[in-house]
Structure formats: C-alpha cells, structure tokens
Amino acid sequence: MAKIDWPHLTHLNMRYIGNMAMLIDVLPMIPDLVCLTVEMNFTQSGQLQESIDALSTLRTRYPVPIKSNVRILSIHAWRCEKFDEFRCAAQNIKLILPNLESFGVFSTS
C-alpha cells in the first residue's frame, strides 16, 4: 500500500482482509478522500484479535490526529465472533480522524 497515488479519489468502497490499523496508515496518502466504506472479512485465525489489539492502541500509535479529510467512515465486519469487542476498539478511530462526522461499525454475517 505504500505506493498509493490517488490524489483525486473522494469515495472508496473496499473489501479488506488484514489489520484495520494498517489501513489507517494510508489515509494521509489519499488527501481528497471524504467517504470510506470498508468490508472487513475475518476468515483466518488471529486476524480479528490482531485488529482489536491494533485498534485498541491507536492513540499510542498516533498521539495526534492524522492528516485526513475523511468525514464518513463505515466499517462492516464479516464473520466477527467478537463483534462487541471489535466495535469498542474501533471507537478509537474517532480520536485520530479530526474531520470525521459520521462513523459506524456494523456486523454482517
């Protein structure tokens, strides 16, 4: 993801398998992004706990808000056995995205 060059991308819907916190790292590379919808799919052992752990420590990783224009963020978690724990940890995203106006975490089976 380090080679992203989408300077005029404003809306992005994506399926993502991996650590949600790593996705946060690329947001400053997409300066015009205002609306992001992410479908997280936790199919491999350990992925869910890895995301929960990373999201729980976002404030340590980003002591100040990141440079991002994202105003709308929607996270849809597929096959999420610990959904309440994931949703609680995901609330830390609001602390590092200064322009966030609408935020939701949804369980999808």
Side-chain angles (χ1 to χ4, degrees), residues 53-64 92 95-96:
D53 293 344
L55 289 169
S56 297
T57 59
L58 274 181
R59 197 67 173 147
T60 303
R61 190 171 175 178
Y62 301 101
V64 296
N92 288 318
L95 300 172
I96 64 167

Side-chain angles (χ1 to χ4, degrees), residues 30-43:
I30 314 171
D32 294 332
L33 187 66
V34 292
C35 180
L36 175 61
T37 300
V38 181
E39 291 181 17
M40 298 290 297
N41 194 340
F42 300 107
T43 56

Side-chain angles (χ1 to χ4, degrees), residues 40-55:
M40 298 290 297
N41 194 340
F42 300 107
T43 56
Q44 295 180 0
S45 176
Q47 283 180 332
L48 174 58
Q49 191 59 50
E50 184 179 303
S51 276
I52 290 171
D53 293 344
L55 289 169

Side-chain angles (χ1 to χ4, degrees), residues 4-20:
I4 289 178
D5 185 23
W6 298 330
H8 303 294
L9 183 69
T10 59
H11 292 71
L12 178 62
N13 296 332
M14 67 182 297
R15 289 189 177 144
Y16 185 69
I17 298 173
N19 184 331
M20 183 67 195

